[in-house]
């Protein structure tokens, strides 16, 4: 019986696929996607919606859904959420604006978490070294829901950074998205209300919303300081 003829092309294809699907290749793809998203934001400036207004041909529930989708994509591309929250309140009012902002927040967090989990986790997990990184990873992996809930309630950690840190940890999708949706409500509502009342900056509603934003920011700073002090003592 004749021996089967080997195919070098097949072996080359396998080696190329392994290289392309390796953890570092996927991480490089993630970094390229994030860089492209940042450049796109700088070039197209989606925040111009604040001055130009929403497309007039879209209105009602369709406009709210479209804004939520755009919100999610923009947050994944590093557009600041406070700006989008103000725009949501200015365009749709308090109730519809809050619904659109929370839906967009969860969508954007889910996109970032998925990208980080699929493209970055395998390459970055071996690099988790040092006391602070190991403590953060252990907290997110063992107590994912309550840790992410605290991060969202006290907005001291940037939104994108929290998403990708959670993706590198062993946190599951369900606790991550649930904690993001619940924990983002208070601070998001404050910005949305402030945006809906931006035309009356001296109104009690606007002042209360801005006061809540300031207090939550100070609370985040205090919590971060206490956490840092505790880690230093350990």
């Amino acid at each position: 019986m004749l021996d089967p003829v080997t195919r070098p092309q097949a072996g080359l294809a396998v080696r190329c696929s392994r290289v392309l699907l390796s953890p570092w290749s996927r991480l490089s793809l993630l970094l390229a996607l994030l860089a492209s998203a940042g450049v796109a934001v700088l070039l197209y400036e989606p925040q111009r919606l604040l001055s130009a207004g929403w497309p007039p041909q879209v209105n009602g529930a369709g406009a709210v859904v479209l804004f939520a989708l755009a919100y999610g994509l923009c947050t994944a591309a590093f557009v600041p959420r406070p700006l989008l929250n103000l725009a949501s309140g200015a365009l749709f009012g308090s109730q519809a604006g809050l619904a659109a902002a929370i839906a967009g927040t969860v969508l954007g967090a889910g996109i970032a978490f998925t990208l980080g989990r699929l493209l970055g986790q395998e390459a970055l997990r071996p690099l988790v070294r040092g006391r602070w990184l190991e403590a953060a990873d252990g907290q997110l992996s063992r107590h994912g829901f309550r840790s992410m809930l605290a991060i969202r309630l006290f907005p001291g950690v940037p939104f994108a950074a929290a998403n990708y840190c959670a993706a590198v940890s062993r946190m599951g999708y369900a606790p991550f998205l649930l904690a993001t949706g619940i924990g983002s409500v208070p601070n998001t509502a404050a910005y949305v209300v402030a945006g809906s009342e931006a035309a009356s900056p001296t109104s009690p509603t606007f002042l209360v919303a801005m006061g809540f934003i300031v207090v939550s920011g100070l609370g985040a700073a205090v919590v971060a300081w206490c956490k840092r002090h505790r880690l230093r003592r350990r």
Side-chain angles (χ1 to χ4, degrees):
M1 176 178 278
L2 297 176
D3 293 334
V5 178
T6 59
R7 296 182 178 179
Q9 293 85 355
L12 180 61
V14 170
R15 288 196 296 270
C16 291
S17 64
R18 287 177 179 173
V19 171
L20 291 175
L21 296 177
S22 66
W24 287 104
S25 295
R26 283 180 284 161
L27 179 61
S28 300
L29 176 59
L30 175 61
L31 295 176
L33 288 174
L34 297 180
S36 300
V39 171
V41 168
L42 293 176
L43 291 178
Y44 293 102
E45 298 179 357
Q47 60 269 26
R48 287 182 297 180
L49 285 173
L50 279 173
S51 57
W54 197 240
Q57 62 270 23
V58 183
N59 51 37
V64 175
V65 172
L66 183 61
F67 183 87
L69 294 175
Y71 187 115
L73 294 175
C74 287
T75 55
F78 306 113
V79 176
R81 285 185 61 248
L83 185 64
L84 295 171
N85 293 333
L86 292 171
S88 184
L91 291 171
F92 304 112
S94 299
Q95 296 181 357
L98 178 60
I102 293 298
T105 296
V106 175
L107 175 61
I111 292 173
F113 188 87
T114 301
L115 289 175
R117 180 60 55 88
L118 294 179
L119 300 179
Q121 185 191 44
E122 193 172 350
L124 292 177
R125 276 209 66 82
L127 302 180
V128 178
R129 297 289 186 271
R131 182 176 56 185
W132 285 34
L133 289 177
E134 289 181 354
D137 177 69
Q139 187 71 18
L140 289 172
S141 299
R142 292 191 300 269
H143 311 289
F145 176 79
R146 74 183 189 188
S147 299
M148 186 54 56
L149 185 65
I151 290 173
R152 301 308 192 192
L153 286 173
F154 297 98
V157 179
F159 185 73
N163 294 335
Y164 289 106
C165 287
V168 174
S169 73
R170 295 187 176 90
M171 183 188 301
Y173 271 90
F176 171 76
L177 294 178
L178 186 61
T180 296
I182 296 175
S184 299
V185 170
N187 198 262
T188 301
Y191 278 99
V192 170
V193 170
S196 66
E197 298 290 332
S200 305
T202 58
S203 65
T205 303
F206 181 85
L207 295 176
V208 169
M210 293 304 298
F212 180 86
I213 293 171
V214 173
V215 170
S216 64
L218 293 175
V222 171
V223 170
W225 184 86
C226 293
K227 193 71 174 178
R228 180 181 178 183
H229 185 65
R230 190 179 305 170
L231 285 174
R232 280 186 172 179
R233 286 194 305 175
R234 288 180 182 178

